[in-house]
Amino acid sequence: DRQTLVAVLQFLRRSNLRESEEILRREARLLGDDLGAAALSPASAGLLVGSGSDADSGEALLGRGTGAAAVTIGGSVATVATSSPGVAAVAAVPPGKGGACGYCGVGTPGRGGARVPGFPRGAGTRGSVSGAVVVEDQPDVSAVLSAYNQQGDPALYEEYYSGLKHFIECSLDCHRAELSQLFYPLFVHMYLELVYNQHESEAKSFFERFHGDQECYYQDDLRVLSSLTKKEHMKGNETMLDFRTSKFVLRISRDSYQLLKRHLQEKQNNQIWNIVQEHLYIDIFDGMPRSKQQIDAMVGSLAGEAKREANKAKVFFGLLKEPEFDVPLDDEDEEGENEEGKPKKKKPKKDNVGSKSKKQDPNAPPQNRIPLPELKDSDKLDKVMNMKEAARRVRLGPECLPSICFYTFLNAYQGLTAVDITDDSSMIVGGFADSTVRVWSVTPKKLRSVKTAADLSLIDKESDDVLERIMDEKTASELKILYGHSGPVYGTSFSPDRNYLLSCSEDGTVRLWSLQTFTCLVGYKGHNYPVWDTQFSPYGYYFVSGGHDRVARLWATDHYQPLRIFAGHLADVTCTRFHPNSNYIATGSADRTIRLWDVLNGNCVRIFTGHKGPIHSLAFSPNGRFLATGATDGRVLLWDIGHGLMVGELKGHTDTVYALRFSRDGEILASGSMDNTVRLWDAVKAFEDLETDDFTTATGHINLPENSQDLLLGTYMTKSTPVVHLHFTRRNLLLAAGAYSSQ
Amino acid sequence: MEAAKMASPKSAPKDAQVMAQILKDMGITEYEPRVINQMLEFAYRYVTTILEDAKIYSSHAKKSSVDADDVRLAIQCRTDQSFTSPPPRDFLLDIARQKNQTPLPLIKPYSGPRLPPDRYCLTAPNYRLKALQKKVSSTAGRITVPRLSVGAVSSRPSTPTLGTPSAQAVSVSAKVGAPVSLAGQRFTVQIPSSQPAGKSAAPTTPTVQNVLINPSLIGPKNILITTNMVSQGTASDPNPLKRKHEDEDDYDTL
């Protein structure tokens, strides 16, 4: 109480509002020492005025001991509010009788002595109050003292937190949602501070009291936090240490921020203000405060939201030009390719396949931005095949849904941990918990390995079918098992030219296997901890891996060390994907953010927050503009890469989404989940009519339409097989894979 | 271990009940019954190890009984050993910055399968063939194998010289087999221990084992040798186990 009173008087004096000061002092003497030890914040709650120097706002900051007084204060505030049109706050205060603000005898400015702000409230005597005089002459000293004192006064932490809680709860609706974002980071930081300073019992009671108030999506974090009770526990936990040292980003509108700042500074309990300044980064934007719904869509990550500057860099999301072919195509094929190759987007200039468009797509990276391997003859043949298949591709849409062919792995004993299918859908690989990698042939053509060197020297190298002759018929089989890892294999990836296979495992290595000899060629050691995912670049040669050490690495097959290290995530990197133009890498992490990295210089160009659980699947749309992500919270979020905004939310799955894939032309998004279903979503509709005007980009406000039901085109249930992988063939048949689990 | 039936909560031993409660507190609701047994075993083993270490530290400090400091020290030492955690973030950011400054290397066109230098690949054979003709050495029981030059660590595909059986100089690469000793491969290389002079008289037990041999003996692939072995020194050679430490400075396990 005293603190607030003092603060009020300070403020009034500062703003030279003698009259209000007089009133205040008069009222203060009226009530006598009616001090209780109750939290002063109920009354002070929300009574801050948004605009600056209103005299009456000083009166609004009345801390009172008793509840009745709170009403009167409320009353006074109400009058204040009505009388000053510039006041932007406090409709929540109940009206009451005006003018009577009760104080307990504080307050003639003349009383000497520096006030010790950390003074415990229990001692509510007038004498002590008199000691607690305006410190406006020595604000810095008090601030310093308060920091020092409150560092060592853990009993007050609960008071501060509940004080803030009251303030926020009594604030105006429009501000309350935004200010509620403060609860979680403040709670965690205060708790960690208590633990770090070894006040165990206070930490425990603090936790008990307030952990139920947090949002439901933070429950997992809170559970981990509850097991951290001693300082020693914190040392080994890298994620918590990172959380402590990194700034939690909050995006608050200017009005709400002013409200908060005024409250915290004037309340003289600088501890919260210290924490705010030290651990929180408040990204202020001008505009309307956000609603709870908007905020809920965007928060959830371990580091708050993303600063707007983080998403401002230019991203070249266009596709690279396909090379012109000397191979003659029939006219029919060429036309088909141009039509089919055109993305379904509204913007007509996005014609990025081949011959028709001569001008460079401004959003596409220059061809030689990053070095890419040259196109070999076999690659060219492959591309021709691709185009021919594309011509016969089924055009999908809401009326024409793809057929789904499901490959069920039987007798895997819950050991199937990774699946991949080649682009032409000829081979399927499974990584297993018993550290084997098994390759099957999907087509009737069996898998053969190359002959031994001795035999190879005998064949006729000039014959036309030399590629067949080098294969050893004796080794033909449907299944090949590759041994080599010493831990469960968590990620697999075929190379685009089907010569190589990558697998990454819990033993910390990424292995390159040859699919011609079915032997291991290289083991890339760099992560010393489990590697959770790996993927080849769409052009081959480069690959990316991400693991428990919180970084993703870019490798090239002919370098034994990584070329790029992408560090920045606060927790494990669980999913890594290349952009179709191979210039960017998206990584999803257990800290619930997705980051987009530039391959050229390793910078993080986008940070996407909004998921409430670790991310397990990422998919780029074929035209490169959009990214779909799935996490353990069962939601699929859609992001516009160019603007750096969330543009869609697909709700429907009830369990982790492990597989996401866009159809070949981007019309349908398929998602597969642990809840044993595959769902098809209308991607065309989800991406049309996007609100990407300047306001949205500037403020990051998003208005997501609740259209998940409209976008859902179909749900297909398996009996009891979680879907681990999805793949659209070149003709838009959907293949899915999973291991049958008997429970 | 007992059969994998979960004892009903009433009759489970106290330890198991505590462990079940811990699992529940950490939010794990679905687990096989044997998980509790495994966790209990781990807890027991861990505590035993710590206490044994603490006893050692305490006796080293000549204390009469084990106290909290000893236990704390034991925990600290074990943590650094077994429960390592990933590097801290500032360290990662630092090395990332260093690594990301170098431009991406240009790709040479038409260079066949793009693989790292052979010493970093797993393409070398991990067996050797015993030579057919018996070496007519005077001392029995010794396996003398042709000297194989290790040479530089570069990947020059030179055929190593097959020295005469009597050649004894041996070079053992310091980091023997490191590029190839990934978990999947199983070959044992015993680096001859440094027992220089004493061995000259002892003819027995060759300290030599499987090595990588130049495959020019075997097949068309020519891969460089990364290790070598030794034959027990003959009397003529005072230091049969001369080691040539290569400069292997381009190992980077990060």
Side-chain angles (χ1 to χ4, degrees):
Chain A
D1 312 335
R2 266 151 272 123
Q3 300 168 6
T4 342
L5 281 169
V6 167
V8 168
L9 286 171
Q10 257 185 294
F11 171 88
L12 291 176
R13 198 163 304 110
R14 254 183 265 130
S15 11
N16 284 328
L17 302 164
R18 287 276 143 198
E19 191 185 43
S20 313
E21 208 186 37
E22 283 303 307
I23 298 175
L24 198 64
R25 244 177 278 137
R26 201 185 324 130
E27 302 292 358
R29 274 180 233 123
L30 270 181
L31 261 195
D33 39 353
D34 181 14
L35 283 180
L40 74 147
S41 48
S44 66
L47 307 191
L48 291 171
V49 180
S51 58
S53 56
D54 193 336
D56 298 325
S57 67
E59 279 187 336
L61 277 180
L62 307 180
R64 295 296 319 292
T66 66
V71 173
T72 57
I73 288 185
S76 74
V77 167
T79 55
V80 162
T82 51
S83 62
S84 42
V87 173
V90 225
V93 181
K97 71 175 169 53
C101 311
Y103 298 99
C104 28
V106 161
T108 55
R111 313 238 190 138
R115 180 173 79 85
V116 177
F119 203 93
R121 284 177 214 178
T125 67
R126 191 177 275 230
S128 62
V129 165
S130 66
V133 137
V134 188
V135 257
E136 67 172 3
D137 309 318
Q138 308 143 19
D140 296 323
V141 174
S142 79
V144 167
L145 277 178
S146 73
Y148 174 78
N149 275 343
Q150 278 152 8
Q151 194 75 346
D153 197 355
L156 288 183
Y157 276 52
E158 291 192 21
E159 300 284 350
Y160 298 143
Y161 188 85
S162 51
L164 183 71
K165 201 169 122 180
H166 259 287
F167 162 62
I168 292 180
E169 278 168 9
C170 299
S171 62
L172 201 55
D173 271 351
C174 61
H175 298 294
R176 189 182 320 140
E178 289 200 328
L179 294 178
S180 305
Q181 291 179 66
L182 270 168
F183 283 143
Y184 176 71
L186 275 181
F187 174 76
V188 178
H189 277 293
M190 288 171 94
Y191 177 78
L192 287 179
E193 214 165 284
L194 285 173
V195 168
Y196 195 74
N197 294 330
Q198 295 169 319
H199 303 296
E200 270 180 58
S201 54
E202 286 91 353
K204 188 150 178 243
S205 69
F206 183 79
F207 191 88
E208 295 287 310
R209 192 165 157 197
F210 294 120
H211 81 278
D213 299 331
Q214 310 302 327
E215 299 280 353
C216 53
Y217 37 79
Y218 289 125
Q219 287 310 319
D220 285 336
D221 283 348
L222 292 175
R223 197 178 300 123
V224 171
L225 209 58
S226 69
S227 68
L228 284 178
T229 47
K230 294 190 200 295
K231 188 176 173 184
E232 289 80 27
H233 296 168
M234 282 177 66
K235 278 195 207 136
N237 194 333
E238 286 299 330
T239 303
M240 272 304 143
L241 287 176
D242 281 351
F243 183 81
R244 239 185 104 66
T245 51
S246 63
K247 289 200 174 240
F248 193 94
V249 176
L250 294 168
R251 301 181 52 177
I252 300 189
S253 67
R254 192 171 293 279
D255 301 332
S256 315
Y257 178 65
Q258 300 287 6
L259 206 68
L260 177 72
K261 182 167 164 183
R262 188 151 298 124
H263 168 84
L264 290 180
Q265 285 187 322
E266 287 180 328
K267 256 173 77 70
Q268 289 285 348
N269 63 348
N270 289 325
Q271 189 56 22
I272 292 195
W273 182 240
N274 288 345
I275 295 183
V276 168
Q277 282 182 314
E278 200 185 314
H279 294 292
L280 267 53
Y281 179 92
I282 301 194
D283 196 18
I284 306 177
F285 62 88
D286 293 307
M288 288 274 298
R290 293 191 287 173
S291 70
K292 179 110 176 57
Q293 205 190 11
Q294 284 176 315
I295 295 177
D296 271 348
M298 299 285 288
V299 302
S301 97
L302 207 52
E305 295 184 55
K307 301 184 205 174
R308 274 168 304 146
E309 296 85 57
N311 283 348
K312 284 272 173 278
K314 178 158 170 63
V315 172
F316 294 106
F317 52 82
L319 302 178
L320 292 175
K321 269 191 181 318
E322 296 287 308
E324 306 282 336
F325 279 123
D326 297 337
V327 183
L329 306 166
D330 357 306
D331 284 343
E332 182 196 335
D333 271 359
E334 200 165 287
E335 262 169 36
E337 159 228 82
N338 278 334
E339 186 193 334
E340 235 76 64
K342 235 194 191 135
K344 43 137 182 94
K345 290 294 153 294
K346 298 298 174 207
K347 306 226 172 92
K349 69 176 166 100
K350 289 271 201 260
D351 181 3
N352 39 19
V353 179
S355 21
K356 280 228 177 111
S357 70
K358 293 288 179 233
K359 61 181 183 334
Q360 168 80 355
D361 180 2
N363 288 317
Q367 283 294 119
N368 53 359
R369 186 165 187 263
I370 61 164
L372 289 173
E374 84 285 0
L375 223 50
K376 299 206 245 255
D377 286 340
S378 52
D379 294 337
K380 290 188 183 143
L381 287 172
D382 219 20
K383 286 206 185 295
V384 172
M385 273 303 295
N386 201 348
M387 287 196 278
K388 289 204 176 109
E389 296 268 343
R392 296 195 203 101
R393 191 179 289 169
V394 175
R395 282 238 81 170
L396 299 175
E399 287 79 38
C400 179
L401 295 177
S403 308
I404 308 182
C405 178
F406 200 105
Y407 287 91
T408 310
F409 287 72
L410 296 174
N411 299 331
Y413 303 113
Q414 297 176 327
L416 179 70
T417 44
V419 174
D420 193 26
I421 303 181
T422 56
D423 192 62
D424 65 347
S425 321
S426 58
M427 286 190 282
I428 185 169
V429 63
F432 292 86
D434 62 357
S435 71
T436 55
V437 176
R438 292 169 200 243
V439 185
W440 283 271
S441 167
V442 170
T443 56
K445 183 165 183 284
K446 294 200 176 161
L447 300 174
R448 291 171 175 78
S449 63
V450 151
K451 288 178 180 164
T452 58
D455 294 340
L456 281 178
S457 55
L458 299 174
I459 63 172
D460 173 19
K461 293 185 185 55
E462 303 297 322
S463 63
D464 283 336
D465 58 346
V466 62
L467 289 174
E468 305 301 321
R469 288 185 189 218
I470 58 175
M471 292 303 178
D472 190 354
E473 287 302 320
K474 289 199 290 280
T475 60
S477 64
E478 290 239 347
L479 160 69
K480 296 272 184 207
I481 307 183
L482 303 172
Y483 296 101
H485 278 297
S486 54
V489 177
Y490 287 124
T492 48
S493 174
F494 279 110
S495 73
D497 55 7
R498 296 190 304 283
N499 286 336
Y500 300 116
L501 168 67
L502 277 176
S503 62
C504 69
S505 135
E506 178 263 345
D507 61 5
T509 62
V510 180
R511 282 186 183 241
L512 184 74
W513 310 84
S514 161
L515 291 175
Q516 283 156 342
T517 61
F518 291 97
T519 55
C520 184
L521 297 177
V522 195
Y524 299 95
K525 293 187 288 189
H527 297 277
N528 292 326
Y529 295 93
V531 188
W532 300 122
D533 196 15
T534 182
Q535 200 207 20
F536 251 115
S537 144
Y539 295 93
Y541 181 68
Y542 295 111
F543 61 94
V544 63
S545 64
H548 176 63
D549 55 355
R550 313 192 311 287
V551 303
R553 291 163 201 259
L554 177 79
W555 312 76
T557 51
D558 58 4
H559 288 75
Y560 61 94
Q561 286 182 316
L563 300 175
R564 291 282 179 264
I565 294 184
F566 304 114
H569 277 293
L570 295 178
D572 308 11
V573 176
T574 48
C575 190
T576 53
R577 287 283 178 268
F578 269 97
H579 188 280
N581 65 18
S582 196
N583 274 262
Y584 296 94
I585 286 173
T587 57
S589 157
D591 68 359
R592 305 175 313 250
T593 60
I594 297 112
R595 286 181 184 235
L596 197 68
W597 308 87
D598 189 346
V599 164
L600 187 65
N601 45 26
N603 294 338
C604 176
V605 294
R606 292 284 181 271
I607 303 181
F608 296 127
T609 63
H611 273 296
K612 315 283 190 274
I615 287 111
H616 282 289
S617 51
L618 297 170
F620 279 99
S621 67
N623 60 6
R625 281 181 64 195
F626 302 104
L627 178 63
T629 60
T632 54
D633 57 1
R635 293 149 73 221
V636 176
L637 298 180
L638 305 171
W639 311 88
D640 179 335
I641 296 173
H643 293 104
L645 298 169
M646 190 193 297
V647 295
E649 180 184 358
L650 303 173
K651 292 197 262 232
H653 282 294
T654 53
D655 208 335
T656 317
V657 178
Y658 267 123
L660 278 175
R661 196 61 78 120
F662 279 92
S663 66
R664 289 279 172 162
D665 294 318
E667 313 104 342
I668 300 237
L669 172 63
S671 61
S673 150
M674 287 280 290
D675 62 3
N676 307 339
T677 60
V678 175
R679 283 174 197 251
L680 300 177
W681 311 86
D682 188 348
V684 179
K685 202 155 148 212
F687 291 132
E688 66 185 356
D689 296 338
L690 292 178
E691 275 178 36
T692 49
D693 53 356
D694 286 334
F695 177 73
T696 326
T697 345
T699 60
H701 275 31
I702 45 166
N703 256 316
L704 295 176
E706 285 284 327
N707 57 355
S708 296
Q709 279 308 105
D710 302 333
L711 297 174
L712 178 61
L713 297 174
T715 309
Y716 303 93
M717 280 163 283
T718 68
K719 190 155 152 217
S720 135
T721 310
V723 182
V724 168
H725 187 75
L726 289 169
H727 174 81
F728 275 94
T729 64
R730 287 176 175 167
R731 298 205 195 178
N732 271 339
L733 169 71
L734 178 56
L735 303 180
Y740 177 71
S741 67
S742 44
Q743 56 250 38
Chain B
M1 201 176 281
E2 294 297 321
K5 254 199 316 192
M6 175 148 68
S8 67
K10 291 254 171 60
S11 58
K14 186 105 190 319
D15 286 350
Q17 287 179 26
V18 169
M19 191 52 77
Q21 185 61 37
I22 293 177
L23 285 172
K24 190 165 129 205
D25 281 342
M26 293 307 290
I28 304 171
T29 47
E30 292 178 5
Y31 50 88
E32 286 185 20
R34 283 162 61 178
V35 169
I36 296 188
N37 295 22
Q38 283 180 316
M39 298 290 289
L40 283 174
E41 210 182 275
F42 164 74
Y44 182 78
R45 199 174 60 229
Y46 178 69
V47 172
T48 317
T49 319
I50 296 290
L51 287 178
E52 278 174 2
D53 283 355
K55 270 203 297 198
I56 295 175
Y57 297 141
S58 145
S59 66
H60 173 82
K62 300 201 183 21
K63 288 192 241 188
S64 56
S65 63
V66 180
D67 65 6
D69 277 337
D70 297 321
V71 176
R72 216 170 278 135
L73 181 63
I75 293 178
Q76 214 179 15
C77 290
R78 279 287 159 190
T79 314
D80 294 336
Q81 244 182 1
S82 2
F83 304 110
T84 54
S85 55
R89 201 154 73 122
D90 44 1
F91 179 73
L92 290 174
L93 288 171
D94 209 19
I95 55 165
R97 199 187 4 256
Q98 274 180 350
K99 192 65 98 160
N100 297 345
Q101 269 165 1
T102 55
L104 290 172
L106 294 173
I107 306 179
K108 283 200 290 268
Y110 310 114
S111 48
R114 296 188 167 105
L115 294 177
D118 287 336
R119 55 200 304 277
Y120 300 108
C121 290
L122 303 172
T123 42
N126 55 352
Y127 53 86
R128 70 180 171 98
L129 296 181
K130 210 160 140 185
L132 279 181
Q133 64 266 35
K134 280 271 180 243
K135 304 289 180 257
V136 190
S137 305
S138 43
T139 50
R142 242 185 276 155
I143 296 183
T144 56
V145 178
R147 173 187 57 146
L148 306 162
S149 70
V150 176
V153 258
S154 64
S155 55
R156 65 190 161 94
S158 58
T159 60
T161 59
L162 296 184
T164 59
S166 56
Q168 302 310 329
V170 158
S171 49
V172 173
S173 72
K175 301 221 179 112
V176 106
V180 293
S181 63
L182 286 191
Q185 303 230 344
R186 288 255 179 259
F187 64 91
T188 57
V189 175
Q190 290 173 23
I191 302 179
S193 53
S194 53
Q195 301 153 9
K199 283 288 184 175
S200 48
T204 53
T205 48
T207 55
V208 141
Q209 321 42 41
N210 316 345
V211 296
L212 293 183
I213 282 204
N214 175 14
S216 68
L217 284 179
I218 305 168
K221 284 198 230 158
N222 58 344
I223 305 201
L224 143 101
I225 299 183
T226 57
T227 179
N228 201 325
M229 19 44 88
V230 96
S231 60
Q232 214 36 299
T234 53
S236 60
D237 199 35
N239 249 354
L241 309 173
K242 250 187 252 175
R243 244 181 258 180
K244 194 162 68 180
H245 288 276
E246 308 285 349
D247 272 314
E248 319 233 329
D249 54 348
D250 40 7
Y251 277 97
D252 186 11
T253 55
L254 195 58

